[in-house]
């Protein structure tokens, strides 16, 4: 595929410079924020080789490319300058102005997507390092005291421990503020002196303070919500600091005022609020697991294709991350997504074996393999939503696999794109291997049920 040619074709068909306010990308889609959606040459866009589908939403116009989307995105340019972007190495890029259209729900999901999708590659790397370490330990190739174990362990822990810094960077880009000042906020939360102060305060039964304002005794390594709230607040403080700073010394006073105000509010108000919210979410998850842990994985397994179709599935990512950061594992988001992705891939592979249509055979086989590995947008828009029997099969298989893993209480320890390639993320360093085996069985149930239903129901069009 010539990515440059595809990028230029898509750019022109959505209206080009005069119609694009902003363009971003996630794992598989280009997201255009347009001035006038009627200017899009929709049918020509759908027929463009390399375009797997198109979704028109109230906040964005989405063009599904597949896993090659970063290679296409780097040839898209600033609407005003037509300068090539160099953001292709990240999972999420952004060019242009911040989008503020659509209802609050759409904007919320769009914001969550913009903040959490960029950190998925390092989060996946960290999770897979943990899974690799678990495999090495399970096969007794290393021990917990060996140098190899210690080194790989802290390599993986680096991403989890410094989570606030990573999130600060992506949140700053989404909230349109200085990313380096935002990362400084993340560094404040993780500074050894702050951690020592909190530890000492807990032991003494007191609280630290700044300007006589008490500081809540909480630590924020591996936290999610506190830094996001703090960077959002900083995005409101920064323009005020810019406006009130004297022009002659603005270079010094603007960052000073921004960090001083944002940092104090973060330590005294927003950090504690975010910490309490995180703990509350964790308590809800524990309650769900205790009362009826099978419900959400079953629903997730059956209905995830519809969530992906409208783009709200990324709104679930923070819940899974927060679960792993607070209670050590996730049982409600990732197991259900694993079952759904494997089921969609299995349904497509069944079609590839049964159809006589060469084009459909190639499309369903390639996207089916991609889906069972964890990326479903290509198969969703290329096969599942076009073939009704495949949608039925995927929902049945995903629901069956999700039900099994929910009943058993399968735990995911490190995330990643939910698929067969990330099955090692169900291996915990201090958890029986049976958890991994149950994840494999749940995936197998999803695959077999979906494949069988799709193979039986599918018929080629005459």
């Amino acid at each position: 595929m010539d990515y440059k040619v595809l990028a230029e074709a898509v750019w022109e068909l959505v209206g080009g410079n005069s119609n694009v306010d902003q363009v971003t990308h996630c794992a598989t889609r280009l997201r255009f924020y347009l001035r006038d959606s009627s200017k899009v040459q929709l049918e020509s866009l759908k027929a463009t080789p390399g375009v797997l589908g198109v979704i028109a939403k109230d906040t964005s116009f989405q063009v599904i490319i597949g896993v090659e989307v970063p290679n296409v995105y780097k040839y898209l340019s600033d609407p005003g300058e037509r300068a090539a972007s160099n953001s292709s190495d990240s999972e999420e890029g952004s060019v242009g102005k911040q989008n503020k259209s659509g209802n609050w729900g759409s904007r919320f999901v769009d914001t969550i997507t913009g903040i959490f999708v960029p950190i998925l590659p390092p989060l996946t790397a960290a999770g897979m390092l943990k899974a690799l370490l678990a495999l090495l330990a399970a096969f007794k190739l290393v021990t917990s005291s060996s140098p190899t174990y210690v080194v790989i362990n802290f390599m993986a822990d680096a991403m989890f421990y410094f989570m606030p810094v990573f999130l600060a960077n992506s949140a700053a880009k989404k909230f349109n503020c200085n990313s380096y000042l935002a990362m400084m906020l993340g560094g404040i939360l993780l500074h050894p002196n702050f951690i020592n102060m909190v530890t000492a305060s807990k032991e003494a039964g007191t609280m630290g303070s700044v300007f006589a304002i008490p500081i809540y005794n909480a630590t924020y390594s591996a936290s999610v919500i506190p830094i996001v709230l703090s960077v959002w607040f900083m995005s409101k403080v920064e323009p005020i600091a810019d406006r009130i700073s004297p022009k002659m010394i603005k270079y010094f006073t603007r960052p000073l005022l921004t960090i001083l105000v944002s940092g104090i509010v973060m330590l005294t108000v927003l950090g504690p609020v975010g910490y309490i919210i995180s703990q509350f979410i964790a308590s809800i998850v524990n309650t769900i697991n205790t009362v009826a842990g099978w419900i959400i994985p079953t629903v997730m397994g059956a209905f995830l294709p519809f969530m992906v179709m409208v783009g709200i599935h990324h709104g679930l990512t923070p819940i899974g991350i927060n679960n792993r950061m607070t209670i050590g594992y996730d049982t409600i988001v990732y197991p259900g997504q694993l079952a759904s992705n494997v089921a969609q891939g299995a349904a497509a592979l069944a079609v590839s074996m049964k159809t006589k249509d060469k084009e459909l055979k190639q499309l369903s086989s390639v996207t089916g393999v991609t889906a069972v590995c964890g990326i479903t947008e290509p198969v969703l828009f290329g096969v599942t939503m076009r073939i009704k029997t495949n949608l039925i099969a995927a929902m049945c298989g995903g629901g069956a696999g999700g039900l099994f893993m929910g009943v058993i209480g399968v735990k995911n320890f490190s995330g990643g794109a939910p698929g067969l390639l990330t099955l090692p993320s169900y291996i915990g360093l201090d958890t029986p291997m049976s958890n991994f085996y149950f994840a494999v069985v749940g995936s197998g149930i999803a695959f077999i049920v979906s494949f069988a239903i799709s193979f039986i129901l599918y018929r080629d069009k005459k």
Side-chain angles (χ1 to χ4, degrees):
M1 182 186 299
D2 191 324
Y3 302 117
K4 185 177 181 180
V5 171
L6 176 57
E8 291 175 347
V10 170
W11 184 266
E12 294 303 320
L13 291 172
V14 298
N17 291 7
S18 62
N19 198 38
V20 179
D21 272 338
Q22 182 191 26
V23 55
T24 67
H25 78 84
C26 60
T28 57
R29 313 180 192 190
L30 294 170
R31 298 170 182 262
F32 293 91
Y33 299 94
L34 307 176
R35 297 180 184 130
D36 185 357
S37 59
S38 65
K39 293 183 179 180
V40 176
Q41 300 177 48
L42 189 58
E43 295 306 318
S44 297
L45 186 60
K46 289 180 178 179
T48 301
V51 174
L52 300 179
V54 175
I55 305 175
K57 298 181 64 180
D58 55 359
T59 60
S60 66
F61 189 88
Q62 302 176 14
V63 180
I64 297 91
I65 302 295
V67 293
E68 303 291 350
V69 68
N71 296 320
V72 177
Y73 175 79
K74 71 180 179 180
Y75 290 108
L76 292 176
S77 39
D78 188 300
E81 299 177 359
R82 298 293 291 167
S85 166
N86 62 0
S87 305
S88 60
D89 290 336
S90 67
E91 191 74 4
E92 165 91 12
S94 178
V95 172
K97 299 180 290 184
Q98 185 180 11
N99 175 63
K100 295 183 179 179
S101 61
N103 59 52
W104 70 268
S106 297
R107 293 199 305 271
F108 175 77
V109 172
D110 181 67
T111 299
I112 294 298
T113 299
I115 293 173
F116 285 91
V117 169
I119 70 166
L120 292 182
L123 196 61
T124 299
M128 294 309 293
L129 281 174
K130 285 283 189 181
L132 172 63
L133 196 59
L135 284 173
L136 293 175
F139 288 103
K140 302 189 183 305
L141 298 176
V142 297
T143 63
S144 59
S145 59
S146 68
T148 299
Y149 184 100
V150 172
V151 171
I152 295 178
N153 197 35
F154 73 65
M155 286 172 60
D157 282 340
M159 171 59 198
F160 299 116
Y161 183 85
F162 292 102
M163 179 83 74
V165 178
F166 287 89
L167 285 174
N169 179 51
S170 58
K173 293 176 180 177
K174 194 62 187 176
F175 295 133
N176 237 356
C177 56
N178 189 293
S179 60
Y180 295 98
L181 291 178
M183 287 188 286
M184 185 176 176
L185 290 180
I188 292 170
L189 292 178
L190 302 174
H191 197 282
N193 288 352
F194 171 67
I195 295 174
N196 292 337
M197 182 188 75
V198 170
T199 302
S201 297
K202 285 182 177 179
E203 291 176 352
T206 60
M207 293 182 104
S209 65
V210 54
F211 295 123
I213 306 173
I215 296 176
Y216 190 74
N217 287 333
T219 54
Y220 300 100
S221 61
S223 62
V224 174
I225 300 176
I227 190 62
V228 174
L229 293 177
S230 301
V231 174
W232 169 81
F233 179 76
M234 193 194 88
S235 72
K236 307 301 180 183
V237 173
E238 191 175 32
I240 298 175
D242 179 75
R243 190 163 57 249
I244 66 176
S245 295
K247 187 174 182 180
M248 294 291 292
I249 57 173
K250 181 178 291 189
Y251 180 82
F252 305 99
T253 56
R254 178 173 55 193
L256 168 64
L257 293 173
T258 300
I259 284 296
L260 182 63
V261 175
S262 301
I264 291 175
V265 172
M266 174 180 69
L267 292 174
T268 59
V269 180
L270 296 177
V273 168
Y275 179 83
I276 292 170
I277 292 174
S278 298
Q279 297 302 313
F280 178 70
I281 293 173
S283 67
I284 292 176
V285 171
N286 282 327
T287 301
I288 292 174
N289 288 336
T290 302
V291 176
W294 59 271
I295 293 178
I296 296 181
T298 304
V299 173
M300 190 81 64
F303 294 98
L304 185 64
F306 299 100
M307 300 178 192
V308 176
M309 183 173 63
V310 297
I312 65 173
H313 60 300
H314 287 306
L316 303 170
T317 301
I319 299 175
I321 294 175
N322 186 74
N323 292 342
R324 290 196 301 273
M325 297 303 102
T326 51
I327 61 179
Y329 54 83
D330 171 55
T331 58
I332 67 173
V333 176
Y334 280 79
Q337 290 184 338
L338 170 65
S340 177
N341 291 355
V342 170
Q344 274 201 77
L349 291 173
V351 170
S352 72
M353 293 185 63
K354 194 171 183 181
T355 184
K356 300 295 191 294
D357 185 322
K358 292 183 179 179
E359 184 178 342
L360 179 59
K361 184 182 288 290
Q362 181 182 15
L363 176 65
S364 57
S365 61
V366 171
T367 58
V369 171
T370 304
V372 297
C373 291
I375 301 295
T376 59
E377 276 91 340
V379 75
L380 175 65
F381 297 102
V383 182
T384 306
M385 302 310 296
R386 289 169 50 188
I387 302 175
K388 186 183 299 184
T389 54
N390 269 49
L391 179 59
I392 295 171
M395 292 180 67
C396 293
L403 174 62
F404 173 82
M405 288 189 277
V407 170
I408 297 297
V410 173
K411 301 177 178 67
N412 178 275
F413 297 100
S414 52
L420 298 184
L421 293 183
T422 56
L423 277 174
S425 66
Y426 291 84
I427 301 175
L429 296 178
D430 302 312
T431 304
M433 281 295 291
S434 58
N435 185 77
F436 169 74
Y437 299 144
F438 286 135
V440 173
V441 172
S443 301
I445 291 173
F447 189 98
I448 293 171
V449 171
S450 181
F451 187 95
I453 293 176
S454 176
F455 194 87
I456 292 170
L457 297 182
Y458 177 75
R459 298 289 186 276
D460 269 334
K461 292 182 179 180
K462 293 183 180 180

